Amino acid sequence: YTFKQETLPQLREEYIATGDVAYLHGDFPIPVSDWSQPAAMAARAVQAEAGMEAFWDYSEALYANQGELDYTAFAEIADGIEADVDGATIEEMVRDEQTWPVVEDSKTTAEDAGVTGTPGVLVDGQFVEPEQERAYVDVIRETIDQAL
């Protein structure tokens, strides 16, 4: 959550908004709860139904409600965002694991690049390893600058 709230906005302003870097979001559900994997599938179901802007809105709502997730919550959150999404459809897509291949492929790609947890950042396909003595955003900046 810190990455999304603090690090990503800095990178967006410095690199993404300028067009120097493209940002691609990948799924990497970790087993912090039984609902991590279904939550990723729900977000991808919203994307499939209503596009990336709805995906981001839904993802934000998932983070805000992460302690209360279940199938009903996936539907209610979908009904509560400002997109033309039917909560019952999202719930059904998650229960049927319709978007699992997208989530699984994303996680496999990340694991193949060396990612073991979140956040995991790849620059030109290479995993940017966090360092204890430096802020992750600074390590990412240095890696991006070297790649540019």
Side-chain angles (χ1 to χ4, degrees):
Y1 196 66
T2 301
F3 179 84
K4 188 172 182 350
Q5 297 301 317
E6 297 174 12
T7 303
L8 183 57
Q10 292 177 55
L11 297 173
R12 185 175 286 126
E13 180 182 328
E14 296 170 27
Y15 297 100
I16 300 166
T18 63
D20 292 330
V21 170
Y23 175 75
L24 304 173
H25 174 84
D27 299 299
F28 199 91
I30 55 176
V32 295
S33 82
D34 292 340
W35 297 102
S36 296
Q37 180 177 313
M41 291 189 298
R44 291 304 178 176
V46 168
Q47 178 190 359
E49 292 294 303
M52 280 308 294
E53 186 174 328
F55 168 86
W56 291 119
D57 291 345
Y58 188 79
S59 295
E60 187 69 33
L62 284 175
Y63 275 111
N65 293 282
Q66 61 186 314
E68 304 164 10
L69 298 179
D70 60 22
Y71 292 113
T72 302
F74 295 141
E76 290 172 353
I77 292 168
D79 287 334
I81 63 171
E82 293 186 30
D84 188 21
V85 179
D86 176 56
T89 300
I90 299 307
E91 180 179 346
E92 181 180 331
M93 291 175 75
V94 174
R95 286 182 183 274
D96 293 345
E97 298 188 357
Q98 292 178 29
T99 58
W100 173 240
V102 174
V103 174
E104 183 179 40
D105 184 56
S106 178
K107 186 171 184 183
T108 299
T109 298
E111 288 172 334
D112 290 348
V115 176
T116 59
T118 62
V121 174
L122 304 176
V123 173
D124 282 346
Q126 299 299 309
F127 176 54
V128 179
E129 190 76 46
E131 297 177 9
Q132 286 187 334
E133 62 278 354
R134 292 179 37 195
Y136 198 31
V137 69
D138 293 333
V139 178
I140 297 167
R141 279 184 185 119
E142 182 179 295
T143 305
I144 291 172
D145 291 342
Q146 289 173 355
L148 294 175

